[in-house]
PDB file of all heavy atoms in Angstrom:
ATOM      1  N   HIS A 558      31.208  13.521  -9.148  1.00 96.00           N
ATOM      2  CA  HIS A 558      31.053  12.110  -8.787  1.00 96.00           C
ATOM      3  C   HIS A 558      32.223  11.645  -7.910  1.00 96.00           C
ATOM      4  O   HIS A 558      32.030  10.967  -6.906  1.00 96.00           O
ATOM      5  CB  HIS A 558      30.938  11.271 -10.065  1.00 96.00           C
ATOM      6  CG  HIS A 558      30.522   9.862  -9.841  1.00 96.00           C
ATOM      7  ND1 HIS A 558      30.404   8.950 -10.847  1.00 96.00           N
ATOM      8  CD2 HIS A 558      30.199   9.175  -8.705  1.00 96.00           C
ATOM      9  CE1 HIS A 558      30.032   7.782 -10.352  1.00 96.00           C
ATOM     10  NE2 HIS A 558      29.910   7.883  -9.046  1.00 96.00           N
ATOM     11  N   HIS A 562      32.339  10.465  -3.795  1.00 95.00           N
ATOM     12  CA  HIS A 562      32.970   9.245  -3.282  1.00 95.00           C
ATOM     13  C   HIS A 562      34.035   9.568  -2.243  1.00 95.00           C
ATOM     14  O   HIS A 562      34.384   8.738  -1.423  1.00 95.00           O
ATOM     15  CB  HIS A 562      33.628   8.467  -4.435  1.00 95.00           C
ATOM     16  CG  HIS A 562      32.683   7.557  -5.148  1.00 95.00           C
ATOM     17  ND1 HIS A 562      32.742   6.187  -5.039  1.00 95.00           N
ATOM     18  CD2 HIS A 562      31.633   7.819  -5.961  1.00 95.00           C
ATOM     19  CE1 HIS A 562      31.776   5.653  -5.773  1.00 95.00           C
ATOM     20  NE2 HIS A 562      31.093   6.614  -6.356  1.00 95.00           N
ATOM     21  N   TRP A 568      29.410  10.767   0.554  1.00 95.00           N
ATOM     22  CA  TRP A 568      29.296   9.342   0.234  1.00 95.00           C
ATOM     23  C   TRP A 568      28.026   8.750   0.852  1.00 95.00           C
ATOM     24  O   TRP A 568      27.356   7.908   0.247  1.00 95.00           O
ATOM     25  CB  TRP A 568      30.538   8.571   0.694  1.00 95.00           C
ATOM     26  CG  TRP A 568      30.353   7.081   0.651  1.00 95.00           C
ATOM     27  CD1 TRP A 568      30.240   6.239   1.717  1.00 95.00           C
ATOM     28  CD2 TRP A 568      30.197   6.252  -0.519  1.00 95.00           C
ATOM     29  NE1 TRP A 568      30.035   4.944   1.292  1.00 95.00           N
ATOM     30  CE2 TRP A 568      29.998   4.924  -0.078  1.00 95.00           C
ATOM     31  CE3 TRP A 568      30.199   6.524  -1.896  1.00 95.00           C
ATOM     32  CZ2 TRP A 568      29.817   3.860  -0.959  1.00 95.00           C
ATOM     33  CZ3 TRP A 568      30.008   5.449  -2.769  1.00 95.00           C
ATOM     34  CH2 TRP A 568      29.823   4.147  -2.301  1.00 95.00           C
ATOM     35  N   HIS A 571      25.470   9.416  -1.677  1.00 96.00           N
ATOM     36  CA  HIS A 571      25.675   8.737  -2.957  1.00 96.00           C
ATOM     37  C   HIS A 571      25.631   7.213  -2.818  1.00 96.00           C
ATOM     38  O   HIS A 571      25.305   6.500  -3.773  1.00 96.00           O
ATOM     39  CB  HIS A 571      27.011   9.186  -3.565  1.00 96.00           C
ATOM     40  CG  HIS A 571      27.315   8.571  -4.891  1.00 96.00           C
ATOM     41  ND1 HIS A 571      26.514   8.749  -6.001  1.00 96.00           N
ATOM     42  CD2 HIS A 571      28.324   7.743  -5.299  1.00 96.00           C
ATOM     43  CE1 HIS A 571      27.026   8.077  -7.021  1.00 96.00           C
ATOM     44  NE2 HIS A 571      28.116   7.449  -6.626  1.00 96.00           N
ATOM     45  N   HIS A 574      22.765   5.089  -4.119  1.00 97.00           N
ATOM     46  CA  HIS A 574      22.805   4.664  -5.524  1.00 97.00           C
ATOM     47  C   HIS A 574      23.561   3.337  -5.651  1.00 97.00           C
ATOM     48  O   HIS A 574      23.161   2.452  -6.406  1.00 97.00           O
ATOM     49  CB  HIS A 574      23.480   5.756  -6.354  1.00 97.00           C
ATOM     50  CG  HIS A 574      23.744   5.381  -7.783  1.00 97.00           C
ATOM     51  ND1 HIS A 574      22.728   5.165  -8.686  1.00 97.00           N
ATOM     52  CD2 HIS A 574      24.906   5.180  -8.460  1.00 97.00           C
ATOM     53  CE1 HIS A 574      23.270   4.844  -9.861  1.00 97.00           C
ATOM     54  NE2 HIS A 574      24.575   4.842  -9.753  1.00 97.00           N
ATOM     55  N   HIS A 575      24.626   3.203  -4.868  1.00 96.00           N
ATOM     56  CA  HIS A 575      25.455   1.991  -4.930  1.00 96.00           C
ATOM     57  C   HIS A 575      24.875   0.821  -4.144  1.00 96.00           C
ATOM     58  O   HIS A 575      25.357  -0.304  -4.281  1.00 96.00           O
ATOM     59  CB  HIS A 575      26.869   2.299  -4.404  1.00 96.00           C
ATOM     60  CG  HIS A 575      27.708   3.041  -5.390  1.00 96.00           C
ATOM     61  ND1 HIS A 575      28.543   2.393  -6.269  1.00 96.00           N
ATOM     62  CD2 HIS A 575      27.833   4.363  -5.656  1.00 96.00           C
ATOM     63  CE1 HIS A 575      29.149   3.303  -7.027  1.00 96.00           C
ATOM     64  NE2 HIS A 575      28.736   4.502  -6.678  1.00 96.00           N
ATOM     65  N   HIS A 652      30.814   0.734 -16.789  1.00 97.00           N
ATOM     66  CA  HIS A 652      30.242   1.321 -15.561  1.00 97.00           C
ATOM     67  C   HIS A 652      29.916   0.257 -14.512  1.00 97.00           C
ATOM     68  O   HIS A 652      29.897   0.559 -13.317  1.00 97.00           O
ATOM     69  CB  HIS A 652      29.005   2.164 -15.879  1.00 97.00           C
ATOM     70  CG  HIS A 652      28.586   3.013 -14.714  1.00 97.00           C
ATOM     71  ND1 HIS A 652      29.365   4.048 -14.230  1.00 97.00           N
ATOM     72  CD2 HIS A 652      27.505   2.945 -13.897  1.00 97.00           C
ATOM     73  CE1 HIS A 652      28.772   4.578 -13.172  1.00 97.00           C
ATOM     74  NE2 HIS A 652      27.646   3.935 -12.953  1.00 97.00           N
ATOM     75  N   HIS A 655      32.153  -0.028 -11.609  1.00 97.00           N
ATOM     76  CA  HIS A 655      31.948   0.992 -10.573  1.00 97.00           C
ATOM     77  C   HIS A 655      30.917   0.540  -9.524  1.00 97.00           C
ATOM     78  O   HIS A 655      30.871   1.067  -8.424  1.00 97.00           O
ATOM     79  CB  HIS A 655      31.495   2.293 -11.259  1.00 97.00           C
ATOM     80  CG  HIS A 655      31.319   3.438 -10.328  1.00 97.00           C
ATOM     81  ND1 HIS A 655      32.383   4.103  -9.745  1.00 97.00           N
ATOM     82  CD2 HIS A 655      30.204   4.052  -9.855  1.00 97.00           C
ATOM     83  CE1 HIS A 655      31.918   5.072  -8.969  1.00 97.00           C
ATOM     84  NE2 HIS A 655      30.609   5.060  -9.021  1.00 97.00           N
ATOM     85  N   HIS A 656      30.092  -0.438  -9.865  1.00 97.00           N
ATOM     86  CA  HIS A 656      29.068  -0.931  -8.924  1.00 97.00           C
ATOM     87  C   HIS A 656      29.483  -2.229  -8.235  1.00 97.00           C
ATOM     88  O   HIS A 656      28.657  -2.896  -7.605  1.00 97.00           O
ATOM     89  CB  HIS A 656      27.719  -1.088  -9.639  1.00 97.00           C
ATOM     90  CG  HIS A 656      27.023   0.227  -9.816  1.00 97.00           C
ATOM     91  ND1 HIS A 656      25.986   0.646  -9.011  1.00 97.00           N
ATOM     92  CD2 HIS A 656      27.250   1.241 -10.686  1.00 97.00           C
ATOM     93  CE1 HIS A 656      25.598   1.857  -9.389  1.00 97.00           C
ATOM     94  NE2 HIS A 656      26.335   2.236 -10.400  1.00 97.00           N
ATOM     95  N   THR A 663      34.850  -0.015  -6.909  1.00 95.00           N
ATOM     96  CA  THR A 663      33.848   1.052  -6.734  1.00 95.00           C
ATOM     97  C   THR A 663      34.486   2.409  -7.003  1.00 95.00           C
ATOM     98  O   THR A 663      33.876   3.286  -7.611  1.00 95.00           O
ATOM     99  CB  THR A 663      33.289   1.036  -5.291  1.00 95.00           C
ATOM    100  OG1 THR A 663      32.897  -0.283  -4.974  1.00 95.00           O
ATOM    101  CG2 THR A 663      32.097   1.962  -5.147  1.00 95.00           C
ATOM    102  N   PHE A 667      34.394   6.612 -12.883  1.00 97.00           N
ATOM    103  CA  PHE A 667      33.417   7.579 -12.375  1.00 97.00           C
ATOM    104  C   PHE A 667      32.621   8.258 -13.495  1.00 97.00           C
ATOM    105  O   PHE A 667      31.633   8.915 -13.238  1.00 97.00           O
ATOM    106  CB  PHE A 667      34.131   8.667 -11.571  1.00 97.00           C
ATOM    107  CG  PHE A 667      34.763   8.172 -10.298  1.00 97.00           C
ATOM    108  CD1 PHE A 667      36.105   7.830 -10.246  1.00 97.00           C
ATOM    109  CD2 PHE A 667      34.013   8.051  -9.146  1.00 97.00           C
ATOM    110  CE1 PHE A 667      36.688   7.382  -9.069  1.00 97.00           C
ATOM    111  CE2 PHE A 667      34.585   7.609  -7.965  1.00 97.00           C
ATOM    112  CZ  PHE A 667      35.917   7.269  -7.924  1.00 97.00           C
TER     113      PHE A 667
HETATM  114 ZN1   ZN B 945      29.364   6.276  -7.783  1.00 50.22          ZN
END
Side-chain angles (χ1 to χ4, degrees):
H558 191 182
H562 275 251
W568 168 251
H571 181 61
H574 173 67
H575 283 267
H652 193 66
H655 183 73
H656 282 259
T663 310
F667 293 96

